Amino acid sequence: MYKPTTIKDIAKALGLSTSTVSRALRDSYEISEDTKRLVMDYAEKINYKPNPIALSLKERRSYSIGVIVCEVANSFFSQAINGIESIAYKKGYHVIISQSHDSYEREAINVQHLANRSVDGLLVSMSAETTDISHLQRLHEQGLPMVFFDRIVEEIQTHKVIVNNKKGAFEATEYLIKEGQTKIAHLANAPHLSITPERLEGYKMALQAYGLPFNEDYVQYCHHGGLIYEEVEDAVKKILQMPDKPDAIFVASDRLSTGCLTALRKFNPGNIHNLSIAGFSNSAVINLLQPSISYVHQPAFEMGQIAIEMLIQLIESNKPVKEFITRVLDTKFFPNKDLTEIKVDTIGS
Amino acid sequence: MYKPTTIKDIAKALGLSTSTVSRALRDSYEISEDTKRLVMDYAEKINYKPNPIALSLKERRSYSIGVIVCEVANSFFSQAINGIESIAYKKGYHVIISQSHDSYEREAINVQHLANRSVDGLLVSMSAETTDISHLQRLHEQGLPMVFFDRIVEEIQTHKVIVNNKKGAFEATEYLIKEGQTKIAHLANAPHLSITPERLEGYKMALQAYGLPFNEDYVQYCHHGGLIYEEVEDAVKKILQMPDKPDAIFVASDRLSTGCLTALRKFNPGNIHNLSIAGFSNSAVINLLQPSISYVHQPAFEMGQIAIEMLIQLIESNKPVKEFITRVLDTKFFPNKDLTEIKVDTIGS
DNA sequence: ATGAAAGCGCTAACAG
DNA sequence: CTGTTAGCGCTTTCAT
């Protein structure tokens, strides 16, 4: 049975009281140098570590913060997590990661679990399925600090970090248009995610800016954020089978982008439909993908860093914070340079 | 300030003692139905949740288990984590994920942190950098249950889950040989990882089985497990610049595989060297990669499940466990079907 | 300079 | 059936 040494053990071994030991370990001024050294040396020797559970109970804080994302197997989120950790560790906070798998139920359970475990604050990116936000609202009202990033929720007044989704979507769509495509479909995320209408809007704006009509049918939603591959496949199939078949697709997210390419590879081997793809993605292997894709890259690491800094500010602020800010970062667009080249290849196959 | 309701609040509100409330909430037989209903209804109404920190302190266990992997942005590990979670949640355990980023220092800090946070057990996959395992050994001796998976360590006697690395490496190498390649390089992981010599051994065995010579120079190690892309690039460059240039590469891990392809894309555009690649990978987009790759797939999800089951067994066992087992799972090899087809394409470009 | 005691939220042994 | 009390590990008044 695993039983770590306690302050009591030290006290007994050294013939002191627990309070003296406690104070000595915290280098209190009211303890003599001799006693301090005695206690500290002994603690060192037996590798004493204070029990953070006891500390948490006492201080009503845990120096840990909870992160809830849909999944870690997603470049955008894993990069954001790395950003979060980079700051959190430096400031003495531990990061507890939790996955919603884009399920409302899982999100609610995990949020509750994290709150129960006395995290000092929460970093949240909403699940694709969630419409009812009362689980978060309740905690927020009770005063649990939280910061939203990427997939935010309007109704809760707190700090938020997002990217300029409209602009990112505009640039991607614009690129496709400038490439010469006129019938551009849009593979969209779950409708109630904050990012979905924003990216749709950017897409629409680009169409309008270049005098292209907006076709409602060209927009295909994936209600589970693409975590269920079949829904992406269905959406892509629908796009390919449209009477007025699109010649390009603008894809709204990382997971959808890879799902879309997989489906295309299946239905459209060798890119016989000559489709051009542009989408949001932070994948490390994006440049290796075939069919190739132009992509909107989000500063995920930086978003994570900013979010955790905001959260820590909230946690450590003495007076209740009343002014909340929403940081909007820029995305970066990477055209797929060798598009034509590869198209020639694949057409030949 | 976030202040959840306690059993005391309920007791006061209802004019009962805390113990009565406690018992009522746990549906104890010694409490009258009326009181139970009263208490439960009220608890429900004010959304009372027991404080798990207090429970942990009392019961000396947290119902949480710590997982330490090199990084979550890696298909193999994120799949393993999903396997771990699938069982853990069902059995009432919370999973705390921690990344070593293949750094010894980070691993040691995180392991200590998790142990301090009173996780009931540890699921460990070693970092590429680690040679000194005393940080784990100490905790193991103190009785903290731990199970190793994938990247294990011989010296610590406990349950382990691995795959048949030798066989997996053999099959991949054999495939390359049967394809007609005779000069097969090996892009290897950090030398002191348990998987490294095993996969090297399988590679050697295949060479031997088919009467090919083993060339020491053909083996290039990546001491940071490929987390630093440059080391992969350097290794690939060396392979490409060898006097007796290899015609194929067997790659030892997921991260190395994508790194290798990226480097090849850079140094060897259009696969002018006509290199055939086979490697360990669990990437979801493996089939979309270009250059294409044959791959050894590990049952990561299942490994996670088995590992957590073993750990929970260790945690919940009353008598100290003396018999430890090492589960060895089979990998699955997926030849790159359209290798020739794509080769033709790329040669043409 | 040190110790005794209370308390963080909860459970359980002990008393009625 | 319900209440009182002690204790999990630690810090922190309050005494001495």
Side-chain angles (χ1 to χ4, degrees):
Chain A
M1 178 51 189
Y2 180 58
K3 176 126 177 43
T5 47
T6 74
I7 238 173
K8 220 182 196 168
D9 298 329
I10 301 182
K12 203 181 299 172
L14 264 38
L16 293 167
S17 77
T18 58
S19 39
T20 304
V21 174
S22 171
R23 276 184 281 240
L25 289 170
R26 335 200 87 244
D27 203 17
S28 161
Y29 66 96
E30 22 179 23
I31 301 292
S32 74
E33 283 306 317
D34 290 356
T35 311
K36 275 188 198 169
R37 191 159 334 271
L38 181 70
V39 171
M40 285 178 166
D41 286 353
Y42 185 73
E44 173 84 10
K45 200 185 99 201
I46 64 170
N47 188 37
Y48 165 80
K49 300 280 183 232
N51 180 336
I53 299 279
L55 271 174
S56 294
L57 183 60
K58 182 119 193 61
E59 297 184 12
R60 261 92 140 277
R61 66 177 297 185
S62 60
Y63 282 98
S64 67
I65 67 107
V67 179
I68 179 141
V69 295
C70 60
E71 49 162 12
V72 296
N74 178 309
S75 304
F76 172 76
F77 290 110
S78 54
Q79 286 160 23
I81 288 170
N82 288 346
I84 292 166
E85 284 189 344
S86 71
I87 303 283
Y89 280 109
K90 226 177 288 176
K91 303 219 174 178
Y93 286 83
H94 194 68
V95 176
I96 300 180
I97 301 159
S98 197
Q99 304 186 74
S100 70
H101 295 285
D102 269 335
S103 138
Y104 163 69
E105 196 197 337
R106 199 51 167 270
E107 175 181 286
I109 291 173
N110 285 354
V111 162
Q112 190 62 58
H113 199 120
L114 288 172
N116 286 349
R117 282 225 73 77
S118 300
V119 293
D120 298 340
L122 233 38
L123 247 29
V124 186
S125 192
M126 303 298 293
S127 101
E129 237 184 61
T130 305
T131 49
D132 174 9
I133 58 162
S134 55
H135 54 300
L136 287 165
Q137 220 141 18
R138 196 175 47 224
L139 292 168
H140 181 246
E141 279 159 16
Q142 287 177 39
L144 181 67
M146 54 181 73
V147 169
F148 291 90
F149 69 100
D150 189 51
R151 298 144 159 232
I152 64 174
V153 40
E154 282 306 325
E155 295 88 334
I156 298 181
Q157 296 292 316
T158 183
H159 293 323
K160 290 158 197 172
V161 191
I162 54 176
V163 295
N164 194 332
N165 286 300
K166 214 177 285 183
K167 189 168 156 219
F170 183 93
E171 286 173 2
T173 312
E174 181 182 42
Y175 174 78
L176 293 172
I177 297 171
K178 286 194 171 166
E179 233 187 21
Q181 325 295 351
T182 54
K183 293 177 287 184
I184 301 169
H186 177 31
L187 191 54
N189 217 319
H192 30 267
L193 279 178
S194 63
I195 53 175
T196 303
E198 292 180 23
R199 292 178 188 176
L200 175 65
E201 184 61 21
Y203 159 79
K204 279 184 180 173
M205 280 168 58
L207 294 182
Q208 194 172 24
Y210 289 87
L212 292 175
F214 169 66
N215 181 344
E216 188 81 55
D217 296 339
Y218 276 8
V219 180
Q220 291 291 326
Y221 291 94
C222 292
H223 292 260
H224 300 280
L227 271 206
I228 301 169
Y229 166 69
E230 281 68 27
E231 71 170 349
V232 186
E233 190 175 298
D234 283 352
V236 171
K237 195 192 273 179
K238 271 189 198 143
I239 290 173
L240 288 175
Q241 292 175 342
M242 283 177 180
D244 195 16
K245 204 177 56 57
D247 45 28
I249 309 179
F250 162 56
V251 192
S253 84
D254 209 329
R255 167 61 49 147
L256 292 176
S257 292
T258 51
C260 174
L261 295 184
T262 303
L264 282 177
R265 182 87 162 216
K266 179 172 174 183
F267 295 128
N268 183 21
N271 197 8
I272 49 173
H273 293 307
N274 212 356
L275 272 178
S276 185
I277 313 293
F280 276 72
S281 178
N282 275 49
S283 167
V285 293
I286 186 84
N287 285 311
L288 298 176
L289 298 181
Q290 182 75 313
S292 61
I293 176 174
S294 301
Y295 60 100
V296 181
H297 181 269
Q298 302 182 75
F301 189 86
E302 202 188 341
M303 285 177 81
Q305 290 191 312
I306 293 173
I308 181 75
E309 270 169 354
M310 286 172 155
L311 183 63
I312 292 178
Q313 186 231 313
L314 246 37
I315 292 171
E316 298 185 346
S317 152
N318 304 315
K319 35 189 171 294
V321 181
K322 289 288 176 204
E323 295 253 313
F324 299 110
I325 59 173
T326 297
R327 276 288 296 274
V328 182
L329 307 185
D330 265 333
T331 57
K332 196 162 175 202
F333 183 71
F334 292 87
N336 164 27
K337 287 283 171 36
D338 38 32
L339 182 70
T340 40
E341 176 193 341
I342 287 182
K343 263 192 188 161
V344 172
D345 283 354
T346 44
I347 287 170
S349 75
Chain B
M1 177 53 188
Y2 181 58
K3 174 123 177 47
T5 47
T6 74
I7 239 172
K8 220 181 196 168
D9 299 329
I10 301 182
K12 204 180 298 171
L14 265 37
L16 293 168
S17 76
T18 58
S19 42
T20 303
V21 174
S22 171
R23 276 184 281 240
L25 289 170
R26 334 199 92 240
D27 203 17
S28 162
Y29 66 96
E30 22 178 25
I31 302 292
S32 75
E33 284 304 320
D34 291 355
T35 312
K36 275 187 197 170
R37 190 158 336 268
L38 180 72
V39 171
M40 283 177 168
D41 287 353
Y42 185 74
E44 173 83 12
K45 200 185 100 202
I46 65 169
N47 188 36
Y48 166 80
K49 300 282 183 232
N51 180 335
I53 299 280
L55 271 175
S56 294
L57 183 60
K58 181 125 193 57
E59 297 185 12
R60 260 92 140 276
R61 64 178 299 185
S62 60
Y63 282 96
S64 68
I65 67 107
V67 179
I68 179 142
V69 296
C70 61
E71 49 162 10
V72 297
N74 178 309
S75 305
F76 173 75
F77 289 110
S78 53
Q79 287 160 22
I81 287 170
N82 288 346
I84 292 166
E85 285 190 344
S86 70
I87 303 283
Y89 281 109
K90 225 176 291 176
K91 303 219 174 178
Y93 286 84
H94 194 69
V95 176
I96 300 179
I97 301 159
S98 198
Q99 305 186 75
S100 70
H101 296 285
D102 270 334
S103 137
Y104 163 70
E105 195 196 338
R106 198 53 166 268
E107 174 180 286
I109 290 173
N110 286 352
V111 162
Q112 189 62 58
H113 199 120
L114 288 171
N116 286 350
R117 280 224 74 75
S118 300
V119 293
D120 297 339
L122 233 39
L123 246 30
V124 187
S125 191
M126 303 299 291
S127 101
E129 236 184 63
T130 305
T131 48
D132 175 8
I133 57 163
S134 55
H135 53 300
L136 287 165
Q137 219 141 18
R138 195 176 47 224
L139 292 169
H140 181 247
E141 278 159 16
Q142 287 179 41
L144 181 67
M146 54 181 72
V147 169
F148 290 90
F149 69 100
D150 190 52
R151 298 144 159 232
I152 64 173
V153 40
E154 282 306 325
E155 294 86 334
I156 297 181
Q157 296 291 316
T158 183
H159 293 322
K160 289 158 197 172
V161 191
I162 54 175
V163 294
N164 194 333
N165 287 301
K166 214 177 285 184
K167 190 168 154 218
F170 182 92
E171 285 173 2
T173 313
E174 181 182 42
Y175 174 78
L176 293 171
I177 297 172
K178 286 192 170 166
E179 234 187 20
Q181 325 294 351
T182 54
K183 293 175 287 183
I184 301 169
H186 177 33
L187 191 54
N189 217 319
H192 31 267
L193 279 178
S194 62
I195 53 175
T196 303
E198 290 180 24
R199 294 179 187 176
L200 176 65
E201 184 60 21
Y203 158 79
K204 279 185 180 172
M205 279 167 59
L207 294 182
Q208 194 172 26
Y210 289 85
L212 292 174
F214 168 67
N215 181 344
E216 188 82 54
D217 296 339
Y218 275 9
V219 181
Q220 291 291 327
Y221 291 94
C222 292
H223 292 260
H224 301 280
L227 271 206
I228 302 168
Y229 166 70
E230 282 67 29
E231 71 170 347
V232 186
E233 190 174 298
D234 282 353
V236 171
K237 195 191 274 182
K238 272 189 198 144
I239 289 174
L240 288 174
Q241 293 174 341
M242 283 178 180
D244 196 14
K245 202 178 57 56
D247 45 28
I249 310 180
F250 162 56
V251 193
S253 83
D254 209 329
R255 168 60 50 145
L256 292 176
S257 292
T258 51
C260 173
L261 295 184
T262 303
L264 282 177
R265 183 88 161 217
K266 179 172 174 183
F267 295 129
N268 184 20
N271 197 7
I272 48 173
H273 292 310
N274 212 356
L275 271 180
S276 184
I277 313 293
F280 275 72
S281 178
N282 275 48
S283 167
V285 293
I286 185 86
N287 285 311
L288 298 175
L289 299 180
Q290 182 75 316
S292 62
I293 176 174
S294 301
Y295 60 100
V296 181
H297 181 268
Q298 302 183 75
F301 189 87
E302 201 189 341
M303 285 177 81
Q305 290 191 312
I306 294 173
I308 182 74
E309 270 169 353
M310 286 172 154
L311 183 62
I312 292 178
Q313 185 231 313
L314 245 39
I315 291 172
E316 298 186 345
S317 153
N318 304 314
K319 35 189 171 294
V321 181
K322 290 289 176 202
E323 295 253 313
F324 299 110
I325 59 175
T326 298
R327 277 288 295 274
V328 182
L329 306 184
D330 264 335
T331 57
K332 195 161 174 201
F333 183 71
F334 292 87
N336 165 26
K337 285 283 171 36
D338 39 31
L339 181 69
T340 41
E341 176 192 341
I342 287 180
K343 262 192 188 162
V344 172
D345 284 353
T346 44
I347 287 170
S349 75

